Amino acid sequence: MGLVGILLGLALLMWLAYRGVSVLLVAPIAALIAAVFSGEPLLAHWTQTFMSGGARFVAQWFPMFMLGGLFGKLMGDTGSISSIARYLTNRLGTSRTMLAVVIASAIVTYGGVSVFVAFFVLVPMAHQMFRAANIPRRLLPATVGLGAFTFTMSVMPGTPSVNNAIPMPYFGTTTFAAPGLSIIASAIIFVFGMWWLRRAEAAARKAGEGYGGETETAPVVSEIVREQAAPAGDFDPAELPHGKQADSDPPFAVAVLPLVVVIATNFLMSLVVFPRLDFSFLSEDQWGGTTIGSVSGVWSVIVALTAANLTVLLCNLRRLPTLRESLDAGANSAALPMLMIASLVGFGAVVAALPAFATVRDALFGIGGGPLVSLAVSMNVLAGLTGTASGGMAIVLNAFGDDFLRLASEYHLDRELMHRITTMSAGTLDALPHNGTVLLLLQISGLTHRESYLDMVMTVIVSCIIALVAVLILGSIFGSF
């Protein structure tokens, strides 16, 4: 009966979340249902297991969520994102509209801007570009998605996204884990995705299909989509209208400088500065008895985002007419996504504490192919079921992190390889139709699953699966590099 309860709780969580019911409400209910079927004490699991699991997530990741929210909001309100997009459009021209949109989306998200902020700025501009080039607008979500939430979200070395950061404390790695494999995988995703988009554009032109009508240029997000999107990202869409965008965009060099600061500072902190300093004091109980290897990755991203926020402010202070409102909105944008993901982690903590979970553990580690395959399968399944890469990843690592570390030692697997397999696996099936990022992008674009989702499957799911298989093969043969 315990296993039935786990499956029933997970099914309820999926169904109600997809219907737009807040995960803050659904996750504890689903966890308590699982506990009831196992005959476990309900109040103890709610206050001691569920809340403790969620609280650990908040304590660990609040600085990154808040700084990331601030950075995305400031980059949007200063006009930096639109400046980068316009520069690339002018350079590449109408004939390479899709390439310009993909590169613009990739640059801003690789530099640490939330995908949700990027959507609100880039999608209206992309509509104008697609209309001018007479490219079917149904291809727009697949184009933006390829640049915004595939290789820059969980594959490229150094990307400061939450998805790339979550494995760091578990494996003692940094965001630059397995750089060679990461670059190869990113190239596979980009090349396959661009091949598909060009093929789709050519087929549309041959069939006489053009842009296909008008669409809204001022996107509005419904409350239901907001609830669906929040646990899949790191920015509350409701905060986007708050504050005021600059009347004029900054020059391209000024716009792109904060993104360069993020990557450069993250690199220096991760690989140069922190490894050379003495952090032996962290072993004391006062600091949680930890090591620098467990926190250096997180600290590096925190320092990088702090430096980038200061850079945006110093370079664009006069372009922010409502600075306080922009700062408030950026900080507030972190609260809902963080608490929703923490609720999912709490649900996972309760499930992992139930006696029936041993059956799930045995089934997972009984999969043939070794720990890399088990890791890839578990991440894909949980990310797909929950509709969120970060939530699925946190659930799996909280439940099985120690087991995967033990297996990595037994099989002599590099922890950087484990890190990269983790992030890539969580970033594949998380883009199923119920994923909040997919729903938000479609609504902002004024399109439907029927119109655009097939092309999205090819650019944001199939491309990532191909890259994941390649990394699994290369990593199994050559190890991490």
Side-chain angles (χ1 to χ4, degrees), residues 289-315:
T290 188
T291 63
I292 185 58
S294 298
V295 297
S296 65
V298 178
W299 285 4
S300 298
V301 177
I302 290 174
V303 173
L305 288 173
T306 300
N309 277 306
L310 292 174
T311 303
V312 178
L313 289 172
L314 291 174
C315 294

Side-chain angles (χ1 to χ4, degrees), residues 64-126:
M64 268 194 62
F65 272 81
M66 185 188 69
L67 291 169
L70 280 171
F71 186 55
K73 184 60 176 171
L74 291 175
M75 287 290 288
D77 284 359
T78 57
S80 298
I81 299 175
S82 55
S83 173
I84 293 169
R86 293 185 203 282
Y87 176 86
L88 291 172
T89 302
N90 295 334
R91 286 287 180 176
L92 294 175
T94 305
S95 62
R96 289 179 286 185
T97 291
M98 284 185 166
L99 180 61
V101 172
V102 170
I103 293 178
S105 303
I107 287 176
V108 297
T109 51
Y110 180 61
V113 175
S114 166
V115 292
F116 292 174
V117 177
F119 288 168
F120 272 80
V121 178
L122 293 175
V123 167
M125 296 180 65

Side-chain angles (χ1 to χ4, degrees), residues 120 123-125 127-128 215-221 443-445:
F120 272 80
V123 167
M125 296 180 65
H127 270 300
Q128 298 173 11
T215 189
E216 295 291 333
T217 56
V220 177
V221 177
Q443 183 166 93
I444 293 173
S445 303

